[in-house]
């Protein structure tokens, strides 16, 4: 006879089955850990409660005992002392002067072994699980321990509680595991329903063959077709999606603060009547926050238009620098002078893009310079290096690490209403053109170096 071959794959072929098994295994480990910890903690707590009962009873009995000068014990019999007599031995030395009625011999032997041996606990399993506690009774100063009070309590109620809790926790664990498995399979099946539609859509968008594929080996059956079609689609969409996601993140991050200000001011206006002065101040705050939101949106959308409309080109960097410098001469009288130095330099980017990169640097330099802003242009190793320096206070050392993060300003309360996006957007544009913007430390004032490809 030929034996029937066993299946080659015991693991599920579908992602739904694999995820359900992973969830089941993880839940099993976690629930087993919690069940173990719970039952250990419960057992410890029950033993602690039993010990508290034993101590309380022993101390209550000891309070009824008087020690005579000769070291002998006198037991005062309080009224209604049946509760104290249950499971209680009183020893004078090694002799029992009081003991419980009808005590089993095994319990009596255990009590005898504890007499005169100081404070201690003990347990016996026969005839029933019982816990003992021995409390010494002090004698005269020169006699040491005169006697011992021993109390006992049956552990059967505590063990019954622990067994019931263990059985209940195991039953609950099994119910939870079954629910986790079934719910995981249901949720994963519903979540994977769009995968087939995504695969068909990706195949329609693809126009050419895929050079490299994810492959089918070791992959769940649902993702084989999707993995084969997503390679080219992701190549085409990666750059666009990255920029769009970054722009959306920037918008969300930067609009949060002025939007929160508008919401707070609106709620403040509607909660109770305000004076005309308070209303006017609130309206001004709302208008200022709205204007800030407008500037943020315009800046980010302008950056997006510049990026998507960017075309290869070249520009005369010194000429552009002179043009930008002249634009600053029509400001207030205290506007710092801008000096342009350097020889001919042609960058391999369009003039519009170069202006978008340099403008935030010049705006900051004009804002913080004391007297002069200097632009230097040079060609270094096939790249164009543009330095923008001012003689202002410079960048605080504790702010340099976050200088190019969107929405960050070194001094938000300096009276300027910028959104903190200029440097971040300028660096992003420079890097998109295979260049960069860096801060040069070790100089007086602020000094930025812009690197662009040569044209």
């Amino acid at each position: 006879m030929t034996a029937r071959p066993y299946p080659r794959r015991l693991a599920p072929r579908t992602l739904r089955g694999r995820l359900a098994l992973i969830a089941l295994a993880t839940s099993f480990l976690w629930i087993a850990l919690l069940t173990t910890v719970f039952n250990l903690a419960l057992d410890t707590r029950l033993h602690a409660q039993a010990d508290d009962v034993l101590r309380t009873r022993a101390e209550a009995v000891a309070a009824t005992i008087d020690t005579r000068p000769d070291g002998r014990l006198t037991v005062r019999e309080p009224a209604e002392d049946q509760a104290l007599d249950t499971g209680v031995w009183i020893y004078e030395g090694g002799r029992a002067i009081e003991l419980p009625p009808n005590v089993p011999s095994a319990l009596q032997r255990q009590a005898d072994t504890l007499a005169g041996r100081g404070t201690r606990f003990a347990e016996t399993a026969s005839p029933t699980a019982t816990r003992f506690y021995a409390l010494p009774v002090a004698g005269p100063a020169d006699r040491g321990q005169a006697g011992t009070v021993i109390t006992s309590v049956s552990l059967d109620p505590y063990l019954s509680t622990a067994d019931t809790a263990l059985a209940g926790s195991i039953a609950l664990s099994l119910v939870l595991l079954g629910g986790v498995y079934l719910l995981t399979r249901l949720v994963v099946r519903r979540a994977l329903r769009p995968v087939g539609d995504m695969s068909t859509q990706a195949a329609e968008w693809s126009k050419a063959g895929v050079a490299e594929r994810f492959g089918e080996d070791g992959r769940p059956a649902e993702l084989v077709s999707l993995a084969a079609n997503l390679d080219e689609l992701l190549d085409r969409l990666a750059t666009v999606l990255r920029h769009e996601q970054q722009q959306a993140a920037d918008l969300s991050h930067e609009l949060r603060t002025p939007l929160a200000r508008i919401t707070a001011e609106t709620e403040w206006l509607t909660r109770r009547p305000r004076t005309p002065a308070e209303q006017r101040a609130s309206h001004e705050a709302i208008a200022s926050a709205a204007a800030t939101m407008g500037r943020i949106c315009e800046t980010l959308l302008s950056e997006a238009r510049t990026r998507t409309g960017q075309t290869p080109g070249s520009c005369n960097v010194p000429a552009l620098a002179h043009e930008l410098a002249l634009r600053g001469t029509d400001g207030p009288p205290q506007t710092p002078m801008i000096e342009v130095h350097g020889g001919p330099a042609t960058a391999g980017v369009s003039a519009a893009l170069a202006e978008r990169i340099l403008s935030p640097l010049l705006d900051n330099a004009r804002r913080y310079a004391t007297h002069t802003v200097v632009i230097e242009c040079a060609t270094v190793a096939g790249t164009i290096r543009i330095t923008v320096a001012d003689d202002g206070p410079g960048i605080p050392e504790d702010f340099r690490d976050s200088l190019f993060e969107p929405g960050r300003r070194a001094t938000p309360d300096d009276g300027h209403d910028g959104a903190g996006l200029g440097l971040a957007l300028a660096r992003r544009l420079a890097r998109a053109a295979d260049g960069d913007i860096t801060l040069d430390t070790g100089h007086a004032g602020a000094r930025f170096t812009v690197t662009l490809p040569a044209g």
Side-chain angles (χ1 to χ4, degrees):
M1 294 179 62
T2 302
R4 179 180 298 177
Y6 289 99
R8 296 178 59 186
R9 292 176 58 91
L10 297 179
R13 294 181 55 87
T14 64
L15 182 60
R16 180 184 61 176
R18 294 186 182 185
L19 290 178
L21 285 181
I22 292 174
L24 182 64
T26 304
S27 301
F28 172 78
L29 294 176
W30 181 240
I31 292 176
L33 175 62
L34 292 180
T35 302
T36 303
V37 171
F38 168 75
N39 283 277
L40 289 176
L42 179 62
D43 184 71
T44 303
R45 179 57 182 164
L46 291 176
H47 273 77
Q49 289 179 350
D51 293 346
D52 290 340
V53 170
L54 291 172
R55 288 194 195 93
T56 302
R57 292 177 59 195
E59 291 170 356
V61 172
T64 66
I65 300 175
D66 295 326
T67 304
R68 295 188 293 187
D70 60 356
R72 302 189 66 183
L73 303 180
T74 301
V75 180
R76 299 190 307 273
E77 295 293 339
E80 303 295 334
D81 64 341
Q82 292 84 356
L84 293 180
D85 289 340
T86 303
V88 174
W89 289 261
I90 300 177
Y91 284 83
E92 185 179 78
R95 181 176 63 89
I97 60 177
E98 283 197 15
L99 65 160
N102 303 321
V103 60
S105 58
L107 300 185
Q108 183 62 48
R109 287 193 299 270
Q110 181 64 58
D112 293 339
T113 60
L114 294 174
R117 300 182 61 184
T119 303
R120 61 178 55 204
F121 288 94
E123 275 189 27
T124 180
S126 176
T128 60
T130 306
R131 189 162 177 82
F132 292 82
Y133 173 65
L135 177 67
V137 177
D142 56 346
R143 296 290 184 91
Q145 181 175 342
T148 308
V149 174
I150 299 175
T151 56
S152 68
V153 65
S154 175
L155 295 180
D156 288 342
Y158 300 93
L159 296 177
S160 176
T161 301
D163 292 342
T164 301
L166 177 60
S169 59
I170 292 176
L172 179 61
S173 300
L174 294 176
V175 173
L176 288 176
L177 289 175
V180 167
Y181 182 75
L182 294 177
L183 184 61
T184 302
R185 288 185 64 89
L186 177 62
V187 170
V188 173
R189 183 167 70 176
R190 291 179 63 87
L192 291 178
R193 189 174 299 169
V195 172
D197 298 336
M198 292 171 58
S199 178
T200 302
Q201 196 172 21
E204 293 175 354
W205 290 343
S206 300
K207 301 298 182 182
V210 181
E212 295 182 358
R213 297 178 180 269
F214 290 113
E216 299 181 4
D217 295 339
R219 298 192 178 279
E222 293 92 340
L223 297 182
V224 171
S225 178
L226 182 63
N229 291 290
L230 280 181
D231 285 320
E232 184 176 358
L233 181 62
L234 291 177
D235 288 340
R236 294 183 178 183
L237 296 179
T239 302
V240 175
L241 288 176
R242 184 169 60 252
H243 286 300
E244 295 301 326
Q245 291 171 354
Q246 184 63 46
Q247 184 181 11
D250 289 346
L251 278 171
S252 175
H253 176 78
E254 298 306 325
L255 292 178
R256 188 179 297 117
T257 299
L259 183 59
R261 179 68 183 278
I262 292 175
T263 302
E265 292 292 343
T266 303
E267 292 180 354
W268 187 77
L269 278 174
T270 57
R271 286 188 181 275
R272 63 182 178 86
R274 306 293 173 183
T275 64
E278 289 175 336
Q279 291 184 0
R280 183 166 53 255
S282 184
H283 291 161
E284 291 175 356
I286 293 174
S288 175
T292 301
M293 292 178 66
R295 285 192 297 271
I296 293 172
C297 292
E298 180 59 29
T299 301
L300 290 173
L301 293 176
S302 177
E303 183 271 335
R305 287 193 296 268
T306 301
R307 184 186 69 243
T308 55
Q310 178 181 333
T311 56
S314 61
C315 69
N316 188 329
V317 176
L320 177 62
H322 280 289
E323 180 182 349
L324 295 177
L326 289 176
R327 295 181 187 178
T329 59
D330 55 353
Q334 66 273 21
T335 301
M337 295 181 56
I338 298 181
E339 301 177 2
V340 180
H341 303 290
T346 302
V349 298
S350 64
L353 179 58
E355 179 180 346
R356 293 285 301 161
I357 295 172
L358 293 176
S359 292
L361 300 178
L362 290 176
D363 291 341
N364 286 341
R366 291 192 189 101
R367 181 178 301 166
Y368 297 107
T370 303
H371 299 98
T372 307
V373 176
V374 177
I375 304 176
E376 296 182 2
C377 307
T379 302
V380 180
T383 62
I384 303 301
R385 185 169 298 173
I386 309 166
T387 302
V388 180
D390 63 69
D391 57 354
I395 307 299
E397 186 174 354
D398 58 351
F399 184 70
R400 292 173 182 173
D401 292 337
S402 56
L403 177 62
F404 293 97
E405 293 180 7
R408 299 298 302 274
R409 296 179 57 190
T411 53
D413 55 349
D414 58 359
H416 300 285
D417 55 356
L421 295 173
L423 292 180
L425 297 179
R427 172 180 263 192
R428 189 190 306 170
L429 288 175
R431 289 181 172 179
D434 295 329
D436 202 358
I437 299 179
T438 58
L439 172 67
D440 297 339
T441 58
H443 300 274
R447 182 184 178 93
F448 293 87
T449 298
V450 180
T451 303
L452 295 174

